[in-house]
Amino acid sequence: MATSKNKKATSKAEKMNFFGHKSSSAADPPRAAGQEGADDTAPSPSPAPSEDSMPVECLTRSHFEQAMETMAEKLITTWQTTADQIKREVRDLSARTTTMEQRHQEMKTVQTATSEQLQAIQHKLAAMEERMADHEDRARRNNLQLHGVPETVLPDDLQAYARGLMRAYAPDIPADMLLVDRIHRVSKPKNLPDSIPRDVLLRAHYFHIKELVLRSHRNRRDPHDDFPSVRIMADLSPATLRRRRDYTQTTTALRDHGIRYRWGFPTKLILTKGGKTSIISSPEDGLQLIEKWGLLKEPPGEPRHDKRRPGRNAAMD
């Protein structure tokens, strides 16, 4: 009886295994001896892993290609956005550059016009200064400036002193022609020492008498015996004196070579060499002329001080 029962159970189990079903008793592994009293409930199976949690090695070819396409689309979108932004910035920069170039051109045009106007104003100003200096020199044309008159000569004695000086340099002039309208001392520059006396300024009544005295003094190399310390100079405006100082190199070279010259108004040099008269209207023209004649010994731009008459006297010759 027992043998027949065992055969029936075996055949039943084989049928169940054939159709894929397993009984709980057959599926469970044999329990250990110490686990006999444990709970007979079977543990629940663990959930299947998702595709996101699977490693790269487990991804299929289609999944990898899909991931690469998604990444490429993101990169293309990012690059396109960046490129569009750069294009906008370049367009804005190009527009600003164009505006700046237009403004620069406008400013250049305005500057050119302003420069031309400034040059025109400078020429007009120079011409006005020349005319003003000419008017001032004409107002001083009868004046003589005496340098070196001792301070011991009192103001009341200056007129008699001046008439005696004029008679010494123009002895052939009648006494009644040696008239002095005004005479006085002028202030002395602060840089001069106290030992140098103040200059004396006088106005001769007759212009030709003033010119005769001045010419006689210039032609006389040695000072007069009765007036050894006195030098006679023309009374010129400060503007004319400044312009004459610019001709120092030219006048020095002319004097060193015995070439006579005279001053014209407005400031210019009139000289004669070899029977030909030349007019020098600017210091540059004078340097070019004496260099052409071979009279220039010093480099241009380095004026030499007049040793014969120091200071401002070179401009008055």
Side-chain angles (χ1 to χ4, degrees):
M1 295 291 293
T3 301
S4 61
K5 291 179 178 181
N6 290 333
K7 290 180 178 180
K8 292 180 179 180
T10 301
S11 61
K12 187 178 181 180
E14 290 175 354
K15 292 178 179 180
M16 294 179 65
N17 289 334
F18 179 81
F19 290 102
H21 297 286
K22 293 183 179 180
S23 63
S24 61
S25 60
D28 294 337
R31 296 183 180 181
Q35 295 179 351
E36 293 179 354
D39 190 3
D40 293 339
T41 306
S44 61
S46 59
S50 63
E51 293 182 358
D52 295 338
S53 63
M54 295 175 67
V56 177
E57 294 80 5
C58 298
L59 292 175
T60 62
R61 182 181 180 85
S62 61
H63 291 164
F64 182 75
E65 291 178 353
Q66 184 178 3
M68 291 300 294
E69 289 178 359
T70 304
M71 185 180 298
E73 291 177 356
K74 291 182 179 180
L75 288 175
I76 291 173
T77 304
T78 303
W79 291 343
Q80 188 65 35
T81 304
T82 305
D84 293 341
Q85 184 178 359
I86 292 175
K87 288 180 180 179
R88 288 194 299 270
E89 292 179 355
V90 170
R91 284 196 297 269
D92 295 341
L93 181 60
S94 177
R96 290 197 297 268
T97 303
T98 303
T99 304
M100 290 179 62
E101 290 178 351
Q102 292 176 352
R103 292 180 179 177
H104 174 72
Q105 186 63 31
E106 293 175 357
M107 292 176 62
K108 186 177 180 180
T109 304
V110 173
Q111 183 180 6
T112 303
T114 304
S115 178
E116 293 176 354
Q117 293 177 359
L118 179 60
Q119 291 179 358
I121 292 174
Q122 289 177 345
H123 290 316
K124 291 181 180 179
L125 181 61
M128 291 176 61
E129 288 179 349
E130 287 184 356
R131 285 195 291 269
M132 290 179 63
D134 183 59
H135 289 315
E136 186 174 356
D137 290 331
R138 290 180 183 276
R140 300 177 181 220
R141 64 196 308 264
N142 282 33
N143 292 357
L144 286 176
Q145 192 165 356
L146 309 181
H147 181 75
V149 178
E151 291 284 351
T152 55
V153 180
L154 301 178
D156 295 338
D157 301 332
L158 284 176
Q159 187 160 130
Y161 185 90
R163 295 184 65 179
L165 178 66
M166 295 170 67
R167 176 173 291 279
Y169 283 98
D172 298 335
I173 302 300
D176 57 350
M177 299 286 292
L178 300 177
L179 301 179
V180 177
D181 294 340
R182 294 185 297 274
I183 185 170
H184 60 85
R185 289 188 182 270
V186 297
S187 59
K188 184 172 61 176
K190 296 181 180 180
N191 58 341
L192 294 181
D194 297 336
S195 59
I196 297 179
R198 293 172 295 170
D199 289 351
V200 174
L201 186 66
L202 67 88
R203 176 179 175 82
H205 186 75
Y206 296 105
F207 174 76
H208 70 282
I209 301 299
K210 169 253 180 184
E211 285 292 309
L212 179 62
V213 172
L214 186 60
R215 189 180 307 111
S216 176
H217 177 266
R218 286 176 178 173
N219 294 335
R220 186 186 182 95
R221 291 296 178 181
D222 299 327
H224 199 278
D225 296 337
D226 296 336
F227 305 93
S229 62
V230 179
R231 291 199 300 273
I232 304 175
M233 300 170 291
D235 181 32
L236 301 173
S237 64
T240 301
L241 291 176
R242 284 195 301 268
R243 290 189 178 91
R244 287 192 178 187
R245 289 192 190 100
D246 296 336
Y247 291 83
T248 301
Q249 278 187 282
T250 303
T251 55
T252 302
L254 294 176
R255 283 195 300 269
D256 291 344
H257 291 80
I259 301 176
R260 300 185 63 83
Y261 64 88
R262 61 187 178 88
W263 291 103
F265 294 92
T267 306
K268 55 180 172 286
L269 280 175
I270 303 173
L271 55 95
T272 303
K273 181 177 183 295
K276 182 179 179 181
T277 301
S278 301
I279 299 177
I280 301 175
S281 301
S282 67
E284 293 77 13
D285 294 343
L287 293 176
Q288 292 178 1
L289 183 61
I290 62 176
E291 186 176 4
K292 179 181 177 181
W293 289 348
L295 307 180
L296 185 62
K297 296 181 180 180
E298 298 178 355
E302 298 180 4
R304 186 179 66 181
H305 295 292
D306 189 359
K307 297 179 181 179
R308 182 169 61 89
R309 291 187 178 183
R312 65 196 294 264
N313 300 331
M316 294 184 177
D317 287 350

